Amino acid sequence: MHDDRTLTEERLDRALRERIRPAVHPRTAPLEFEVWHAPGEPVPFAEAMAGPYEHGAVGDDWGPAWGTSWFRVTGRVPADWAGETVEAVIDLGFAQDRPGFSAEALAHRPDGSVVKALNPRNTWLRVGEPAAGGEEFTYYLEAAANPEILDGVSALGDRETAGGEPLYRVERMDVAVFDQQVWELVQDLEVLDQLMRQLPLGSARRWEILRAVERCLDALDLDAVGTNASAARERLRPVLSSPAHASAHRLSAVGHAHIDSAWLWPLRETVRKVTRTTSNVVALMDDHPEFVFAMSQAQQLDWLREHQPALYARVKEKVAAGQFVPVGGMWVESDTNMPGSEALARQFVYGKRFFLEEFGVETEEVWLPDSFGYSAALPQLVALSGSRWFLTQKISWNTTNRFPHHSFLWEGLDGTRVFTHFPPVDTYVAELSGEELAHAERNFRDKGHATRSLVPFGWGDGGGGPTREMLARAGRLADLEGSPRVTIEKPADFFAAAEAEYERPPVWLGELYLELHRGTYTSQARTKQGNRRSEHLLREAELWAATASVRAGFRYPYEELDRLWKTVLLHQFHDILPGSSIAWVHQEAEATYARVAEELEALIGAAQRALAGAPDDGGTVVFNSAPHGRAGVAAGGAALAGRPAEGPVAAEAVDGGFRLDNGLLRVTVDARGLVVSVVDLVAGRETVAPGCAANLLQVHPDLPNRWDAWDVDAFYRNTVTDLTDAEAVRRVGDGVEVVRAFGSSLVTQVLSLRPGARRLDIDTEVDWHEREKFLKAAFPIDVRADHSTAETQFGHVQRPTHTNTSWEAAKFEICAHRFLHVGEPGWGAALINDSTYGHDVTRTVREDGSTTTTVRLSLLRAPRYPDPETDQGVHRLRYALLPGATIADAVREGWQFALPERRVPGSTGVAPLVSVDGDAVVVTAVKLADDGSGDVVVRLHEAHGGRAPACLTTGFPLSGARVADLLERPFADASAEVDGNAVRLRLRPFQILTLRLTPGDGA
């Protein structure tokens, strides 16, 4: 037999494109429409109803960037269409390759109720089934002109520079007959075509499908497709009814719509995207009772509850019916590298609680497909939130190493393990194509041990969700020879079956580091500073409000703290905190953080004034919010001002530079303003490697191959400019000020020692006007360290400093929170910071055999996409060098650097509400219980990486103590060992413990 395969495949392509698909709507008539271009921000439906509409026509332009146009569409079903299925088919200028990224619309009935949404792959509205001839109908379409900002430098992401020119054109406004049989034929042919092209050329099944397609096309009248579509489908029935092999891979298909809470659009647009997507989903559920849809991000459902109560009520009905499935257990799909300890815990607290209170659902699946790497703290947090399973997808984006598992046990810092799945389909926006399913089966790395994987299907990023075409594919692929078996089911059903069948799954220990998007640790510095500052202020507000409530009857601000936490958690979304959104998003974030700070400062001030008492003869009370005592003030307590005497800081001119000495450190700054010596006088050891300079600012070119704001590529290191020229090096007080000009920028640094502190503080102000550059601060340390230790949530993570394997080499940029430490037995050094996350660590061996370990902070970047003005302007960055530091020193100094003392007029010292003996156990939160019971909730963890016995003592009468989960729900065996006002504890390395402490009489 001759090989005529290509002939038939090309024949099918053209027939589908030119004849069969167009015949789905064989008869059409134009719709009439009017349009009103709403000025400014979106308006509610009632206001839109009264807008001054004007006549419109197909071909009209509409939609300046970020504008909203309302279309009033009217039509009549022709009399001779009575009994037919009739749809309105509308194309507002959609970009077909980007569902949910550009023009979208929400259809309303005249009474304001929502019908469904329109987007590039979903352009229909059902008018009647069957339709009544002569029936008139009206729809109001709220059309959003979201600009496409997909690559390159664009001004469209900022309202001030986006311009007012129309971006879109009305392409189609028709009422049409929908031919169900032709549509079904399209689905049959597409499924078989996609499957056929994935089968081996030598496969008999491929040729069986090819011949069946050939017979189908022979039977089809291409001039009148609808007349014999049913007969043509019969030619396909034998190949569509052949069952899958017994060993075929099993795919659990879960409807999904990944909706970025902000990215190439602002938060306000995401509110509308959520409405559009959920309206599509519930409409689809009405027609397809087998359809299951999973939605994460409690924040998005809360938006729906607030802005679209009627639609939200429909969602609640579908949740009760088991079709709409809340998943994720988090407030948003947050970044997990940079949120602080308590913030990451609160993501679970607020997300899980919302689903429980609103739907009565205890979510068990943590759903994070698109975040940029996953913290080693997550497994313990997952378990403590009451969840069982974890799902991610983004690790498939690794550029260096292929992750070795798809189903596995993920072991976190403390030893907690959670069953984790990484879908081998390698996408969270699947359309259930033959190519995707074949890839999932081929790619699955646990063959022979497991038979199942999950595939999230539905248009996403900008939303949209599943379509009727996707459901048609799923139905045909449920049991089809040559394909994996596809079953639409809930994520929990998949996870339970996958976990049960995998008797001894492999274990992955530690973080899931994404070998991509490393620039997100640095991009948009103001957003990152706002997050860090907000986290610390929230800690202080809860601590002092709880203390004042127990001690002074102060009103605990439950509602205010709840609202502020949700605001901060929202901005930890994985395209906001990482700095990978348009200018509009980050401008709003900066303003929001300023409002959050102002409100939290007021709450802190009010609580501290309630505690400090009336000022007496100008008395001052010093408050210490850090979890360690300092300068005579206990952790979480306050004392009347007064410090033990400390030695002075000596500052003298030396060889054109300066020498600073506080008896603990002796620092030499040369005439260039570079730190050439830091002697640890306690250990008698030099910190700076021979011939090197510390606090050396370095500038690299920074033009990654693909995603500007997201990535730094390893080749950036090949070219570097050391900033050694100084405009000025001068003494200021007991410190040294250094001014440098470079490119179009200016940097001013003040280097200082504090009395009694083994720490060199560096306060940096940068007026940054570079483009596509990367600013680093280098500290070459005379220490041989084969690993670095970086603070992460509720502990620290160690990473190799060498590049023995590709896995280590890929970690050329790493994330740390308040500290990064390197050391050898007996001596080490740490860098601490107030708002920097990106770091890198390298090592060289000198000619004498000694090792230099260079730690660098990533201070600023200047990517141009998606925000061409990223980080332009003035920044203040604070960091410090700690010679002779242990891990315990780094933990303590990191907290104290971040939480400076507060001084308040008053006359009353304040004993801590709770205190813990020893530095190894760190209290991350002290608050009142969310249920209003008056219980004091304390969250703490072991911070040094070892076992830690500890005693927690309360500053109030204690009647009971229970161990609880993150949501403050006591465990079944929840009692703690209590002795008077003391609670005896024993923690394993990095263990997190939440205690509910019930005050006794007299508290």
Side-chain angles (χ1 to χ4, degrees), residues 171-190:
E171 301 290 347
R172 184 176 184 182
M173 283 273 191
D174 287 335
V175 61
V177 170
F178 175 77
D179 191 318
Q180 182 73 36
Q181 280 301 313
V182 174
W183 184 84
E184 298 286 0
L185 175 61
V186 171
Q187 311 317 308
D188 291 345
L189 288 170
E190 287 185 346

Side-chain angles (χ1 to χ4, degrees), residues 250-298:
R250 297 176 181 273
L251 278 170
S252 297
V254 179
H256 184 48
H258 181 66
I259 305 176
D260 286 311
S261 289
W263 178 30
L264 303 180
W265 46 84
L267 288 167
R268 67 91 152 142
E269 194 55 35
T270 312
V271 175
R272 300 202 294 178
K273 284 177 177 289
V274 169
T275 298
R276 291 190 286 259
T277 295
T278 52
S279 68
N280 281 344
V281 166
V282 296
L284 208 53
M285 287 174 176
D286 290 340
D287 297 331
H288 297 272
E290 80 285 2
F291 173 40
V292 172
F293 177 82
M295 187 168 179
S296 65
Q297 305 196 74

Side-chain angles (χ1 to χ4, degrees), residues 145-159:
N146 299 331
E148 287 196 317
I149 311 172
L150 300 176
D151 51 56
V153 178
S154 173
L156 292 170
D158 186 336
R159 283 175 295 181

